[in-house]
Amino acid sequence: PPRRSYSTDNPQPTRPMTIKRRQILAAGGSALLAVRHPAFAQAPADWPRVIEAAKKEGQLFVYSANVGNPTQGAIGKAFEQKYGIKVEILEARASELRERIRTEQEAGRFIGDLSHNGATTTALQAKVGTFQPYGSLPSLAKIRTPFKADELRVPAFAHAYSILVNTNLVKAGDEPKSWKELADPKWKGKILSDDMRALGGGSVLFFVTEEHLGRAFHDKLAQNQPVFSRDLRASELRLARGEYAIWIPQQISSFLALKGLPVKLLAPDEGYPFIAYELAVLKNAPHSNAARLFMEFYLGNEAQLIHAHAGNIVVTDEAAAAVPAELRAYANGKLFGTTDASRQDEMLRLAKEIYK
């Protein structure tokens, strides 16, 4: 795929990692640690030098799986304007980027600086040594629950998923108020769903609902004969045309483009399943200081609110408080749960077993 050139928050001084912090990391490996740990609450003392070194590097290469999302360009441009560092973004699907990075690193060709990918992919990459520690960042203490950072990865934002209904077919008061209600026999033959047997929003929905509602929920939902699709945009339009009453799961950020159509986004009682995107510095990154500075910038309000206006979930307490009232139901919405990379294959097999 071609490179796309694009091109925030005021950094604060911080202290280096303590010996105790290093011991915790050594014992815990790459397991995620709560950012409220005291070491994360301290800003690195070398931060002014990081900014100076990043400006001297003058450029940054980001590998992003957030394909086609305008937030990338907006954040890249804002970073360029603030620091004068040119940002190049290569967009591709998560699996394609993972293979590209693997190939480059095995060949000793270290081109990219920063990975911007879903948490499941970054967790798998972290296990095989794809990333290098970034040190610390001034804004790590701002990260809000349930998002976490470790020595390799920092949360960037999250895609959240909900239920979309056709308002001509589902009247007010008759809408499903929860994920659990989708198993009601009255919805038999009326549900269009992203394929739960393949990676994507459907698999995120399956993982979270199976974990919290149990297999019995999916056994009942399967009896309602949901129709699977892998074309998200076409599925949204099929719902709007009245082919189906319900589409699941609807990515909240995509709903904003459906304004004016006879559709309604619901807020399930249990909350929104979500998948976090993470930033990580690639091993032997040529511009590691610029990558580190971009990670800090991403945690600032300017970048986070760009995501909020796009319908994404913000990952810091400070940004959550600054989100405009009309966007809070989405950007600060109740979260139901997310996936676990270690159980990904297991859950895909189970989905194939239930939805034949």
Side-chain angles (χ1 to χ4, degrees):
R3 276 206 173 96
R4 297 172 57 186
S5 294
Y6 303 105
S7 229
T8 335
D9 206 73
N10 296 323
Q12 304 164 7
T14 100
R15 266 184 274 179
M17 269 194 223
T18 62
I19 292 176
K20 182 177 181 182
R21 168 69 176 149
R22 293 193 192 98
Q23 291 171 339
I24 290 173
L25 292 180
S30 63
L32 289 179
L33 301 173
V35 297
R36 292 290 186 255
H37 185 279
F40 277 130
Q42 300 167 353
D46 66 340
W47 196 248
R49 291 193 295 274
V50 171
I51 298 175
E52 182 180 358
K55 289 180 177 179
K56 287 181 179 178
E57 291 171 351
Q59 58 183 331
L60 175 69
F61 293 97
V62 181
Y63 288 170
S64 176
N66 195 26
V67 179
N69 196 312
T71 57
Q72 292 303 97
I75 293 172
K77 287 179 182 178
F79 181 77
E80 285 187 359
Q81 289 171 2
K82 180 166 185 176
Y83 294 108
I85 298 170
K86 183 176 178 60
V87 178
E88 296 277 353
I89 302 177
L90 173 65
E91 295 181 354
R93 293 177 64 88
S95 57
E96 294 171 355
L97 286 179
R98 185 179 174 189
E99 178 60 20
R100 181 189 181 100
I101 292 167
R102 184 194 66 77
T103 302
E104 288 180 357
Q105 292 189 347
E106 285 189 356
R109 298 175 66 246
F110 301 101
I111 300 172
D113 300 304
L114 195 66
S115 169
H116 181 249
N117 214 320
T120 298
T121 298
T122 54
L124 295 172
Q125 289 178 297
K127 288 183 178 180
V128 296
T130 302
F131 310 125
Q132 67 182 40
Y134 57 84
S136 187
L137 303 173
S139 293
L140 286 175
K142 299 178 182 178
I143 298 173
R144 65 181 181 131
T145 303
F147 303 103
K148 299 177 182 179
D150 66 7
E151 74 276 18
L152 298 176
R153 297 169 288 164
V154 171
F157 72 96
H159 283 310
Y161 298 93
S162 188
I163 301 170
L164 192 70
V165 299
N166 181 299
T167 53
N168 293 328
L169 300 178
V170 183
K171 302 304 180 183
D174 195 34
E175 303 150 344
K177 298 178 178 60
S178 66
W179 294 105
K180 192 172 183 178
E181 288 184 20
L182 293 176
D184 189 315
K186 73 180 182 180
W187 302 120
K188 185 173 182 178
K190 299 178 181 180
I191 299 174
L192 182 63
S193 173
D194 187 36
D195 196 339
M196 300 185 198
R197 304 162 300 184
L199 292 177
S203 65
V204 174
L205 173 63
F206 180 83
F207 191 112
V208 174
T209 50
E210 197 282 335
E211 184 174 40
H212 292 280
L213 303 179
R215 172 164 180 163
F217 162 74
H218 281 284
D219 286 335
K220 291 180 180 178
L221 181 60
Q223 292 175 18
N224 279 344
Q225 301 174 350
V227 175
F228 285 158
S229 168
R230 296 191 185 183
D231 190 330
L232 305 185
R233 299 297 168 260
S235 296
E236 293 169 347
L237 295 177
R238 291 176 70 185
L239 180 89
R241 287 195 298 265
E243 292 183 35
Y244 294 90
I246 296 173
W247 158 248
I248 55 172
Q250 173 64 40
Q251 185 172 298
I252 292 176
S253 59
S254 299
F255 171 71
L256 301 180
L258 303 177
K259 187 176 181 180
L261 297 177
V263 296
K264 181 179 180 181
L265 187 70
L266 307 182
D269 291 342
E270 302 95 340
Y272 304 128
F274 72 94
I275 187 73
Y277 265 65
E278 296 177 331
L279 297 167
V281 181
L282 293 167
K283 181 173 60 179
N284 296 331
H287 312 103
S288 59
N289 292 290
R292 190 176 174 190
L293 184 59
F294 190 79
M295 293 170 86
E296 168 64 18
F297 181 80
Y298 222 102
L299 293 176
N301 275 9
E302 186 171 355
Q304 288 295 303
L305 292 181
I306 286 173
H307 276 296
H309 281 278
N312 294 324
I313 301 289
V314 299
V315 299
T316 70
D317 287 318
E318 189 176 83
V323 169
E326 65 273 17
L327 298 173
R328 286 176 190 162
Y330 307 135
N332 298 356
K334 179 182 178 182
L335 299 178
F336 191 21
T338 190
T339 58
D340 179 346
S342 67
R343 299 181 60 203
Q344 175 178 282
D345 292 341
E346 167 198 345
M347 298 302 272
L348 288 173
R349 284 194 297 270
L350 182 58
K352 291 175 183 177
E353 178 183 326
I354 296 173
Y355 297 96
K356 298 176 182 178

